[in-house]
Amino acid sequence: MKDLLDIKRFMLYAWVGLAIVVMCTIQEVYHHATFGMALLECIWLTIYLTLVNYVLFEYTVPRLRVRKFYIGILLFVLYIFLFTALFHHWAQLGHLLHLNDDYIDPPGKHHDLGEEASFSIPSAFIFGIVSHLYKHAQLRQTAQQLRIEKQTAELNYLKSQTNPHFLFNTLNNIYSLARDKSDQAPETILRLSKILRYMLYEAGGSFVAVEQELKVIGDYISLEKLRYDESLRINFNYDVEDMKQAVPPLLLMPMVENAFKHGASETRIHPFVDIHLSIAQRKLAFYVRNSTEEHNGNGQVRENIGLSNLRRQLELLYTDYEVSVEQKQSEFSATLKINLASHV
């Protein structure tokens, strides 16, 4: 019974009932009834129909089962009775209370219930259609909410994969320095602590200012520089019209990591990494180019977990974006373009 008395759902039927009262009153006034009496009659009759239709579409119909065919027949007969004979008795009660003059015949005259049916049955169709449309809209809204929750959970999972992946690569760098007893190991740990602070306190939200993203990329590049001698050439520049422009945290980092881990670190002769970011009119373009060992394949690129996760995150975050990679003989390049205004 608690499920039946849903105030929010009942209000929907009340609004439909109000619309029926308006249409009924206009029709009665058109047939020469006074406005006051017509309004009272329509309100009285519609109260009954609203209650019956609410029980019909919110309690009876949802519980019908094909296997209980005979019960369905009995319920059909019951509601025909409710929409005709009992509706007539409701009209008579209104007549006794001086609230209704419709469907009242002189004493002794046989009454035709078809008059009640001509009003009650169409009202049932109106209530039924509105109820169906409302439930359909609710189902679509619920499905949309579930889809959003699923995508959010997947996005958080992808982030949880990316962050440890990034941390693992950095710890490998520190291990290499510590194994070689390098004096740069303490500075490396200090820079790592800054990056971890960013990951813990800044990257947990949906967006960060692009200046913060650039700073953490700069810190990461500085960490990588400590592993190499002067033979590594790094070019990192940007052209951003608004440094407060919001971007997802650590979204660009996989491309930077990829350039070092699968590019510069595996290049023995003249390693290089070129990184360029531009943002203008909410259009982001990120270019990363790095050296690789000579590649004799057919140009096909096997993406690592970082780039694969990046593609999936973009699918969940934006509707207008493009990711392209190109493998040349001794060079790899990755390009990311995003319309930041197309955020889902």
Side-chain angles (χ1 to χ4, degrees):
M1 193 65 181
K2 183 180 179 180
D3 294 337
L4 180 62
L5 300 176
D6 187 332
I7 300 300
K8 185 177 179 180
R9 297 299 292 271
F10 183 78
M11 288 302 298
L12 172 68
Y13 285 78
W15 281 108
V16 177
L18 180 61
I20 292 176
V21 167
V22 172
M23 292 186 291
C24 172
T25 303
I26 293 173
Q27 183 180 13
E28 290 297 308
V29 171
Y30 179 77
H31 287 91
H32 310 295
T34 62
F35 175 78
M37 192 61 201
L39 180 62
L40 285 175
E41 289 176 356
C42 292
I43 290 175
W44 178 255
L45 297 174
T46 304
I47 287 174
Y48 174 85
L49 292 176
T50 301
L51 293 172
V52 172
N53 280 288
Y54 176 76
V55 175
L56 170 62
F57 293 110
E58 295 299 319
Y59 186 78
T60 305
V61 171
R63 287 165 174 76
L64 284 178
R65 297 293 181 270
V66 176
R67 289 178 296 180
K68 298 181 179 180
F69 177 76
Y70 295 107
I71 294 179
I73 295 296
L74 291 175
L75 288 172
F76 177 77
V77 173
L78 171 63
Y79 276 97
I80 290 296
F81 172 76
L82 292 175
F83 281 120
T84 54
L86 196 60
F87 183 41
H88 176 62
H89 291 304
W90 178 264
Q92 287 181 319
L93 176 60
H95 182 68
L96 293 175
L97 298 174
H98 305 289
L99 297 174
N100 175 56
D101 283 335
D102 267 346
Y103 313 128
I104 304 300
D105 289 329
K109 182 181 178 181
H110 177 72
H111 184 76
D112 182 10
L113 294 176
E115 295 184 26
E116 284 85 346
S118 66
F119 181 41
S120 60
I121 301 300
S123 76
F125 278 102
I126 295 174
F127 279 106
I129 291 172
V130 173
S131 175
H132 174 75
L133 292 176
Y134 178 81
K135 290 176 181 177
H136 179 68
Q138 289 291 100
L139 285 174
R140 289 191 61 182
Q141 183 178 359
T142 301
Q144 176 74 357
Q145 184 63 34
L146 289 174
R147 186 172 69 87
I148 291 173
E149 291 176 359
K150 178 178 179 294
Q151 289 180 342
T152 301
E154 184 178 356
L155 184 59
N156 290 333
Y157 172 71
L158 290 172
K159 287 182 178 179
S160 71
Q161 278 189 316
T162 301
N163 292 354
H165 182 256
F166 163 77
L167 179 60
F168 178 75
N169 290 340
T170 308
L171 288 174
N172 271 345
N173 296 346
I174 296 175
Y175 171 75
S176 299
L177 294 172
R179 185 184 58 186
D180 296 337
K181 296 182 172 56
S182 172
D183 294 336
Q184 296 174 330
E187 183 181 351
T188 305
I189 295 173
L190 179 61
R191 290 187 180 277
L192 176 60
S193 69
K194 292 181 180 180
I195 295 175
L196 288 176
R197 187 179 299 111
Y198 174 82
M199 293 170 59
L200 288 172
Y201 299 109
E202 304 294 338
S206 299
F207 296 98
V208 295
V210 69
E211 63 181 347
Q212 293 178 277
E213 190 76 355
L214 288 171
K215 187 176 184 305
V216 77
I217 290 175
D219 287 337
Y220 179 77
I221 291 174
S222 297
L223 271 177
E224 290 290 344
K225 281 182 178 179
L226 296 175
R227 294 180 55 203
Y228 299 89
D229 54 27
E230 296 300 323
S231 64
L232 175 63
R233 178 178 61 82
I234 299 178
N235 178 30
F236 174 42
N237 58 77
Y238 49 85
D239 179 16
V240 180
E241 64 179 5
D242 180 11
M243 296 297 286
K244 300 299 181 182
Q245 170 72 61
V247 295
L250 298 175
L251 186 68
L252 307 177
M253 188 60 72
M255 290 174 60
V256 179
E257 284 185 90
N258 186 73
F260 285 97
K261 183 179 180 183
H262 301 285
S265 66
E266 298 177 356
T267 307
R268 288 171 294 193
I269 302 175
H270 304 304
F272 71 86
V273 175
D274 290 333
I275 302 171
H276 177 70
L277 171 68
S278 67
I279 302 179
Q281 298 181 347
R282 305 206 70 186
K283 301 292 193 302
L284 180 149
F286 191 51
Y287 305 96
V288 180
R289 191 171 65 95
N290 59 268
S291 58
T292 62
E293 284 298 294
E294 289 193 5
H295 185 79
N296 297 320
N298 56 6
Q300 293 183 347
V301 180
R302 182 179 180 181
E303 294 188 357
N304 54 63
I305 185 174
L307 291 179
S308 298
N309 280 359
L310 172 62
R311 287 186 184 276
R312 184 53 184 158
Q313 287 188 59
L314 289 168
E315 288 178 11
L316 298 173
L317 290 170
Y318 295 99
T319 59
D320 184 7
Y321 68 91
E322 178 186 350
V323 182
S324 60
V325 295
E326 183 180 7
Q327 177 70 67
K328 297 181 180 179
Q329 185 175 3
S330 58
E331 179 183 306
F332 179 86
S333 62
T335 302
L336 168 63
K337 296 181 180 180
I338 306 175
N339 178 4
L340 296 175
S342 70
H343 196 278
V344 176

